[in-house]
Amino acid sequence: MRVLLTGSSGWLGRHLAPLLAERGHEVTGLDVTPGAATTIVGSVADRALAFQAVAHHGIEAVIHSGALHKPDIARFPRQAFVDVNVTGTLNLLEAAVEAGHPRFVFTSTTSLMVRDDVRAGAGRAGAWWMDESFGPVAPRNVYGVTKRAGEDLCRLVSRESGMAVAVLRTGRFFPEDDDTHAVPCGPNLKANEFLGRRLTVADAALAHLAALERIEGCETFVLSAPPPFAREDAVELATDARAVIARRFPDAAALYARAGWVLPERIERIYDPAKAQRLLGWRAHTDFAAILTALREGGEMPFTHDPDWLSPVLTSSS
């Protein structure tokens, strides 16, 4: 299949492009900066370029992973988010419909589900259990607002055209440090997040491949490493997460102590990827147990931590 991959120079794109090629797909990459998998340098906000990319390269399906992200809020005005994340998504959807494409994969974010009350802490029933039915959805920043608008455009165009669309709300997989939390340290924080809100970039890429090859209709999926908890743990997770962790992983506290790390005292939200496992046959390879195995054996962490990573920079045409 000839696939247009946007964001091909980005963190996800540079992992997804070779995976697609290994599966026999022919990849045309589009990004605002050059990269190993980037064929076309430009912005999805350029409508003529988006249509040209689809038409001139014989594209048969689109994976739209290019976007402005939350860290970009400090660097770019809101209008840039609308141009790239909303207008750019509409450009690609309409180009795909005009070309008669059977499928479209849209990279969204679990961030848009984090309302102000979710951000503030646990709910009445304990930790928020967040799957595709979670709502109401009320994004708290321009990133979330524009990604939700992109999702809505995907659903609208799918309904009107019959094109199969997968909306993938990915948990965290960025390599850089968190832009709002300095404690615990970056690797420790990432390890903790595998308990309920993180996956590796390799697993995110595999989910996109599964969606491309298996999606039917229009479906939304939450992507994260499988949480080692049950919904019945929600109340205790919000008050004494370490006790729940100790029951699941008796040596976790000792392994963390040896590494100089700390386990979370409270876990206030859990992302549930069960639907993706059921409909796409996808399950993250790396989970919290893999983190503990690496600590136990003194091996390399199964995730990437790169505090110096910077996302591709927009060109003036964006």
Side-chain angles (χ1 to χ4, degrees):
M1 190 182 305
R2 290 186 293 275
V3 179
L4 177 65
L5 172 63
T6 71
S8 51
S9 297
W11 183 242
L12 175 61
R14 64 178 57 190
H15 288 82
L16 181 51
L19 181 62
L20 290 166
E22 288 171 11
R23 289 294 289 264
H25 300 294
E26 183 179 327
V27 180
T28 297
L30 190 161
D31 204 304
V32 294
T33 60
T38 297
T39 312
I40 305 166
V41 176
S43 172
V44 295
D46 183 337
R47 185 173 177 84
L49 178 66
F51 273 74
Q52 183 181 46
V54 169
H56 288 196
H57 292 269
I59 300 301
E60 299 170 291
V62 175
I63 298 179
H64 180 29
S65 69
L68 282 180
H69 299 279
K70 180 175 175 286
D72 296 315
I73 292 175
R75 298 193 289 163
F76 299 101
R78 290 175 177 171
Q79 186 61 55
F81 279 81
V82 173
D83 293 344
V84 175
N85 294 0
V86 182
T87 302
T89 300
L90 179 61
N91 289 341
L92 290 165
L93 285 164
E94 293 187 338
V97 169
E98 182 175 284
H101 291 178
R103 57 195 63 202
F104 190 102
V105 179
F106 177 65
T107 308
S108 189
T109 173
T110 52
S111 176
L112 62 80
M113 300 192 294
V114 184
R115 308 178 306 238
D116 286 338
D117 58 338
V118 175
R119 181 74 172 179
R124 295 178 184 176
W128 300 97
W129 203 272
M130 304 173 75
D131 60 14
E132 295 77 12
S133 66
F134 181 82
V137 173
R140 69 187 189 281
N141 55 43
V142 68
Y143 171 52
V145 167
T146 55
K147 293 303 280 187
R148 182 183 181 184
E151 286 191 2
D152 287 343
L153 287 170
C154 286
R155 297 183 188 104
L156 173 66
V157 171
S158 175
R159 185 168 62 248
E160 292 180 346
S161 68
M163 182 169 60
V165 174
V167 173
L168 305 184
R169 290 180 178 173
T170 65
R172 292 180 158 203
F173 59 82
F174 56 79
E176 64 265 37
D177 282 320
D178 188 283
D179 61 344
T180 56
H181 296 91
V183 178
C185 69
N188 186 170
L189 180 61
K190 285 181 172 64
N192 289 354
E193 288 173 344
F194 277 90
L195 287 163
R197 58 185 299 201
R198 178 171 280 273
L199 70 166
T200 65
V201 67
D203 281 329
L206 285 168
H208 282 70
L209 177 65
L212 175 70
E213 297 180 343
R214 300 188 61 169
I215 186 61
E216 296 181 2
C218 182
E219 298 285 354
T220 300
F221 300 95
V222 168
L223 302 181
S224 183
F229 311 116
R231 289 177 184 261
E232 292 74 24
D233 297 318
V235 171
E236 193 175 6
L237 284 171
T239 57
D240 189 4
R242 291 174 180 175
V244 187
I245 295 167
R247 291 199 298 272
R248 301 290 191 278
F249 307 101
D251 64 343
L255 292 171
Y256 261 56
R258 191 171 70 188
W261 287 1
V262 293
L263 287 164
E265 294 181 0
R266 295 176 298 279
I267 295 176
E268 296 177 330
R269 58 183 184 267
I270 296 289
Y271 298 146
D272 185 350
K275 181 180 176 181
Q277 295 172 18
R278 186 175 68 254
L279 296 188
L280 299 180
W282 171 86
R283 180 182 175 88
H285 291 173
T286 300
D287 56 13
F288 187 69
I291 307 299
L292 296 184
T293 296
L295 289 174
R296 192 178 298 115
E297 298 177 354
E300 184 178 351
M301 282 295 115
F303 59 82
T304 302
H305 175 67
D306 182 1
D308 297 322
W309 165 260
L310 289 175
S311 297
V313 179
L314 286 169
T315 64
S316 58
S317 64
S318 299

